[in-house]
Amino acid sequence: MNQHSTMVRTVQWLDRDFYIYPLTGTNWSNIGGIYIFAAQNYDGAWYPIYIGQTDSFRNRMPGHGRGDEAVLKGATAIHAHAVTSSTERTDLERRLIEHYQPVLNLQYR
């Protein structure tokens, strides 16, 4: 999503690789996908605070309505995975929320 990144890091959620981005300063692309506001525990393992989907990272991520709340809950990064199909995005979002039960997601519980 960030075409100017010099160091690319990824993490796997379910069976998908997600790129790890800082909470601010990312040059988001105009593509759709799944995003996760995530935090790390004391062992360095990631856990989700909020999982969502968008048809445009560029339009959705700046000023995201749940971003401040996610930070207050411990989020330190945004994980993003491009998915162009809206049907596939909805399915993946549901599966991720059902599996990980993020604290800020109320749907799919």
Side-chain angles (χ1 to χ4, degrees), residues 2-94:
N2 182 349
Q3 297 146 352
H4 304 291
S5 178
T6 57
M7 184 174 131
V8 177
R9 296 178 9 210
T10 62
V11 62
Q12 195 166 73
W13 294 97
L14 293 180
D15 57 348
R16 307 292 179 98
D17 287 330
F18 282 70
Y19 290 99
I20 302 171
Y21 296 99
L23 292 170
T24 60
T26 298
N27 180 22
W28 295 102
S29 296
N30 191 28
I31 59 173
I34 300 291
Y35 57 89
I36 301 172
F37 283 94
Q40 286 181 291
N41 66 22
Y42 291 110
D43 295 329
W46 290 102
Y47 62 94
I49 304 293
Y50 181 78
I51 297 171
Q53 67 166 304
T54 183
D55 60 356
S56 171
F57 285 107
R58 180 178 296 151
N59 294 335
R60 180 70 172 134
M61 300 317 295
H64 189 288
R66 301 302 298 260
D68 290 342
E69 193 175 358
V71 169
L72 288 173
K73 297 282 187 188
T76 58
I78 300 170
H79 299 178
H81 176 77
V83 181
T84 57
S85 162
S86 63
T87 302
E88 187 180 346
R89 280 195 307 268
T90 299
D91 179 62
L92 180 56
E93 178 190 37
R94 178 190 52 76

